[in-house]
Amino acid sequence: MTLNPHQWVATHADYLYAYAITRVNDEEQAKDLVQETFLAALEKTANFEGKSSERTWLTAILKNKIVDVYRKKSSGLKNIEVKAEEEQSDFFEADGHWVAEHGPKEFGIEDKDHLVNKEFDSILKKCMEKLPALWMAVFTMKHIDEEPTDTICAELKVTSSNFWVIIHRAKLNLRACLQKNWI
Amino acid sequence: MSYLKRIIYNCKQATFLIDKKATSRLSFREMIELRIHLYGCSFCRIYKKQSRMINEMVQELFRSSMERDVKLDENFKNELQERIEAELNK
């Protein structure tokens, strides 16, 4: 494998853009990230060992840039954490029981082929946008990119016990939002 | 409250364990506690099912948005390649 920067934009720009936009949800920022990725890649061409494809190599550089964005977005983390604590106590009583109105109800699509339900998808998307950036970052890295937990914790600077709490809160909030808007 | 009762009542802990189990190993004790809780709690059984479903749906959403052919506009691309060429000729 060798690099061919003369063809980079034609070959990889759209792919990298799609990759970025699904993760940062902002067109301008996604464009900037693509540009930064190519420019950073040019400086690192000597490091390319040819073990992976050009696209895989470029995507890895982009991934690092996205993690930087996540990290910056989550600098307001303290406030979010406090708010989440309040929200969570909304879900459960002091003894740990579900608060009656938040108890999970069937969505009615659990056993069907839920992957093709457009209406549900658009609600899911809106609910995801409401999640704090750090939660979404942790969730994406774990469930989409399937990164090891240690890596995520190191890159986003969260402790492993916080990691589980974040994953759990993201899920609780996402599920509650779906129940509220779907049923 | 007795130990068993605490497990049976604690949906907060049970849902935490459900989400943890999705990507990591639970301790033996955690596993037993979760089983006991789920046996008696229909709310958390629904939560468990939906938690997994949400993972699958989010994954599917990402997959389909990668395939949806989002494209950069040509002007941006041309300028970008020109910039790369300029860097190469430095």
Side-chain angles (χ1 to χ4, degrees):
Chain A
M1 291 284 175
T2 52
L3 297 173
N4 182 7
H6 300 293
Q7 289 299 316
W8 275 358
V9 171
T11 321
H12 306 297
D14 286 328
Y15 174 84
L16 294 175
Y17 179 64
Y19 188 95
I21 203 159
T22 49
R23 284 164 178 78
V24 300
N25 226 334
D26 178 324
E27 284 180 27
E28 282 308 309
Q29 193 162 38
K31 274 184 176 179
D32 287 347
L33 284 167
V34 173
Q35 174 161 325
E36 285 169 27
T37 298
F38 286 133
L39 297 178
L42 284 174
E43 312 240 311
K44 294 185 195 173
T45 49
N47 300 349
F48 182 73
E49 291 171 340
K51 282 183 193 151
S52 56
S53 72
E54 191 176 57
R55 177 168 287 186
T56 308
W57 184 70
L58 289 167
T59 308
I61 297 172
L62 172 61
K63 224 177 207 177
N64 282 328
K65 305 237 164 256
I66 293 172
V67 170
D68 286 339
V69 172
Y70 287 159
R71 229 182 267 149
K72 264 178 220 148
K73 275 191 188 167
S74 63
S75 57
L77 177 65
K78 291 250 158 62
N79 299 328
I80 295 165
E81 289 289 325
V82 174
K83 212 174 142 236
E85 195 62 65
E86 287 165 10
E87 277 169 18
Q88 205 183 9
S89 64
D90 281 352
F91 293 139
F92 299 103
E93 307 278 6
D95 65 1
H97 246 352
W98 286 98
V99 169
E101 57 166 313
H102 289 298
K105 297 189 189 89
E106 298 268 359
F107 294 160
I109 55 167
E110 285 87 348
D111 303 315
K112 292 178 200 146
D113 187 5
H114 49 256
L115 303 179
V116 292
N117 195 318
K118 288 264 174 289
E119 200 183 338
F120 198 88
D121 266 4
S122 77
I123 295 173
L124 177 62
K125 233 184 206 165
K126 283 196 191 95
C127 290
M128 280 163 59
E129 281 164 21
K130 282 190 202 157
L131 291 183
L134 182 74
W135 298 9
M136 206 49 225
V138 171
F139 198 85
T140 310
M141 289 173 82
K142 186 73 215 170
H143 293 299
I144 310 299
D145 300 329
E146 293 174 340
E147 306 256 18
T149 303
D150 303 347
T151 313
I152 301 172
C153 290
E155 287 185 341
L156 296 177
K157 296 193 171 68
V158 295
T159 61
S160 62
S161 63
N162 253 338
F163 171 84
W164 291 116
V165 173
I166 290 169
I167 288 265
H168 178 49
R169 284 176 184 169
K171 191 61 77 61
L172 270 176
N173 279 278
L174 208 48
R175 204 212 62 81
C177 177
L178 288 169
Q179 176 158 313
K180 193 171 145 200
N181 291 289
W182 174 254
I183 297 180
Chain B
M1 229 192 295
S2 76
Y3 172 64
L4 197 61
K5 228 175 180 177
R6 264 205 310 275
I7 296 172
I8 292 168
Y9 272 60
N10 204 341
C11 299
K12 190 173 174 180
Q13 173 70 3
T15 54
F16 176 77
L17 293 178
I18 286 167
D19 289 332
K20 190 174 176 190
K21 193 174 167 224
T23 40
S24 153
R25 222 178 235 286
L26 297 183
S27 71
F28 184 69
R29 189 200 176 106
E30 288 173 326
M31 222 165 61
I32 297 294
E33 290 186 357
L34 180 58
R35 263 207 203 153
I36 293 171
H37 183 92
L38 285 175
Y39 182 76
C41 181
S42 61
F43 279 138
C44 289
R45 285 201 299 271
I46 296 179
Y47 183 89
K48 186 184 169 200
K49 205 157 47 162
Q50 291 177 340
S51 175
R52 198 180 47 210
M53 182 185 79
I54 290 168
N55 280 356
E56 286 169 11
M57 294 183 80
V58 172
Q59 282 165 354
E60 186 55 32
L61 204 62
F62 271 79
R63 212 171 302 141
S64 64
S65 59
M66 276 306 284
E67 283 162 9
R68 211 188 40 223
D69 260 4
V70 255
K71 291 225 156 56
L72 282 163
D73 64 87
E74 288 304 314
N75 283 339
F76 180 80
K77 282 200 220 175
N78 292 337
E79 280 168 27
L80 192 50
Q81 190 60 50
E82 275 166 28
R83 226 175 129 194
I84 291 171
E85 298 300 332
E87 291 289 325
L88 287 170
N89 291 329
K90 254 186 193 170

